[in-house]
Amino acid sequence: MPDDSPPAQNTRRRAAFFDRDGVLNEDIGFAHRPDQITWMPGAREAVKRLNDAGFLVFVVTNQAGVARGLYSEEHVRTLHRWMQQELRAVGAHVDAFYHCPHHPEHGEPPYRTDCACRKPEPGMLLQAMAEWPVEPKGSFLIGDRDTDLQAAQRAGIDGTLYRGGDLDAVVAGILARSADGVAADS
């Protein structure tokens, strides 16, 4: 479910998709308040680097805490608005946040369901690609779990497993390899 509305423009652009917990912020388990967020090293700078390079930037995050009754979807949206403010303070932004509140085994309907948006399914990525002018070639996802990479593969984009460290350096490396690939294709 997106937290922001797509633009009216039709110019196709490459996109970067980030998992949230464990990639943009430390994964403490079911974070849903600003006081629970510690940004990963280089996370805000990585988003700014991508903005400056002309990429669309999306967050795609499973939020099973909603299905488990630990917090509401409004808590998720409020946290994402706060994260956006934090990013804007350093001249960066996320174009849209997408979250899956479902879980196949926990909670009650409508949240207890086997859905197409919960990673490893590609639903959130495909929704962003349908709603925004995403050019799949050259687009990528950074996640900290195999399920993230499976979602990227199913959506037809590259995936990178993030194991910690400076996220901006990881993004810089991806962009450098992408630029080398473009030069090699010319």
Side-chain angles (χ1 to χ4, degrees):
M1 302 182 154
D3 294 338
D4 296 301
S5 299
Q9 68 183 10
N10 290 324
T11 305
R12 295 179 73 73
R13 295 164 49 195
R14 294 176 296 170
F17 295 84
F18 287 100
D19 178 45
R20 193 188 81 188
D21 302 324
V23 177
L24 291 178
N25 57 273
E26 290 182 9
D27 188 352
I28 63 163
F30 304 111
H32 61 280
R33 297 186 321 263
D35 66 318
Q36 297 172 311
I37 299 300
T38 300
W39 291 92
M40 295 300 278
R44 290 172 282 198
E45 295 82 0
V47 173
K48 182 169 182 358
R49 178 182 300 275
L50 289 160
N51 295 151
D52 292 348
F55 277 71
L56 293 166
V57 178
F58 303 109
V59 171
V60 288
T61 177
N62 288 347
Q63 290 297 310
V66 174
R68 292 172 184 264
L70 301 175
Y71 49 87
S72 70
E73 285 193 82
E74 187 52 37
H75 286 112
V76 175
R77 286 188 286 273
T78 298
L79 178 60
H80 290 166
R81 284 191 295 271
W82 176 84
M83 291 178 84
Q84 188 77 285
Q85 290 173 341
E86 290 279 301
L87 288 164
R88 288 196 192 285
V90 297
H93 72 276
V94 168
D95 290 288
F97 290 81
Y98 292 84
H99 70 275
C100 173
H102 307 115
H103 195 281
E105 300 167 2
H106 297 285
E108 301 296 325
Y111 296 117
R112 183 180 181 149
T113 185
D114 200 6
C115 68
C117 62
R118 182 176 173 77
K119 294 177 288 179
E121 296 303 322
M124 289 184 283
L125 286 82
L126 295 175
Q127 184 178 356
M129 291 174 166
E131 293 177 348
W132 292 77
V134 173
E135 171 55 55
K137 183 175 176 156
S139 294
F140 62 89
L141 175 142
I142 299 177
D144 65 331
R145 297 183 180 191
D146 287 338
T147 52
D148 297 317
L149 302 187
Q150 291 168 17
Q153 181 181 19
R154 291 173 182 178
I157 63 171
D158 291 334
T160 296
L161 187 62
Y162 174 68
R163 299 177 188 267
D166 185 344
L167 186 59
D168 188 38
V170 172
V171 167
I174 292 169
L175 294 181
R177 285 190 301 277
S178 174
D180 290 344
V182 170
D185 291 342
S186 304

